[in-house]
């Protein structure tokens, strides 16, 4: 569903949101932490910066941090700089024109999935993702104690 670039962007933004350090994080540190190529990540972060998702600071102690609160950044905000959600939602069978008036064989069922997917990206924030990760980590911890 997501391109590799969009996946990397989400992983980087989640990492920045979870990072508890006082200052910005360097690209090389982020890349190592989330296991992606630093050069590629640098391009991703700069594009996210142009869209206000992250902010960069230059200089010896520079790097990247979130551009606003995690609760104010949606998944759609993170993936939008790399391609519109609508592009991912074109006809499942590749038809040029697929609509309610001229549907393909999968149109009605795919329309429901497209709508739900779009709502998920627009309504889910980075803070929501982090809360889910904490809950997931708590489950693992409690299972390990048994």
């Amino acid at each position: 569903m997501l391109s590799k670039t969009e996946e990397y962007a989400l992983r980087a933004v989640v990492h920045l949101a979870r990072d508890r350090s006082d200052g910005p994080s360097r690209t090389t540190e982020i890349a190592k932490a989330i296991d992606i190529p630093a050069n590629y990540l640098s391009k991703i972060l700069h594009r996210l910066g142009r869209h206000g998702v992250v902010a960069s600071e230059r200089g010896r102690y520079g790097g990247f941090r979130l551009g606003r609160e995690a609760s104010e950044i949606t998944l759609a905000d993170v993936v939008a700089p790399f391609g519109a959600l609508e592009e991912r939602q074109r006809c499942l069978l590749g038809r040029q024109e697929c609509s309610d008036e001229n549907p393909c064989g999968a149109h009605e069922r795919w329309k429901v999935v497209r709508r739900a997917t779009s709502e998920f990206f627009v309504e889910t924030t980075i803070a929501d993702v982090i809360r889910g990760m904490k809950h997931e980590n708590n489950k693992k911890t409690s299972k390990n104690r048994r």
Side-chain angles (χ1 to χ4, degrees):
M1 172 172 285
L2 295 177
S3 70
K4 190 58 84 173
T5 302
E6 292 162 334
E7 178 191 325
Y8 286 171
L10 280 172
R11 288 169 54 190
V13 171
V14 167
H15 175 79
L16 288 172
R18 293 183 81 191
D19 185 17
R20 300 287 184 220
S21 64
D22 292 335
S25 297
R26 294 177 183 263
T27 304
T28 53
E29 294 166 357
I30 301 166
K32 184 176 181 179
I34 60 177
D35 193 29
I36 64 176
N39 290 345
Y40 193 28
L41 178 60
S42 178
K43 293 174 185 177
I44 290 169
L45 290 171
H46 282 94
R47 184 175 288 181
L48 289 170
R50 287 191 297 274
H51 288 84
V53 176
V54 300
S56 63
E57 295 180 25
R58 294 181 185 263
R60 184 177 189 179
Y61 301 106
F64 290 89
R65 59 180 170 71
L66 291 184
R68 51 192 190 272
E69 293 296 319
S71 61
E72 298 173 7
I73 302 171
T74 66
L75 299 185
D77 294 332
V78 178
V79 299
F82 308 100
L85 282 174
E86 296 80 36
E87 290 175 14
R88 269 185 288 288
Q89 298 182 1
R90 38 183 188 251
C91 178
L92 187 63
L93 300 179
R95 290 178 53 184
Q96 289 289 3
E97 184 181 334
C98 183
S99 64
D100 290 337
E101 294 78 31
N102 187 19
C104 72
H107 181 76
E108 286 304 313
R109 294 186 76 188
W110 180 238
K111 182 169 67 171
V112 174
V113 173
R114 279 192 340 239
R115 187 177 302 125
T117 302
S118 181
E119 288 173 6
F120 171 78
F121 276 86
V122 170
E123 295 172 2
T124 304
T125 67
I126 296 299
D128 295 330
V129 171
I130 291 169
R131 272 192 298 278
M133 292 171 81
K134 287 179 183 174
H135 181 68
E136 181 179 293
N137 289 341
N138 290 340
K139 281 183 185 178
K140 287 178 184 175
T141 303
S142 63
K143 283 182 183 179
N144 291 338
R145 289 183 188 156
R146 293 183 189 170

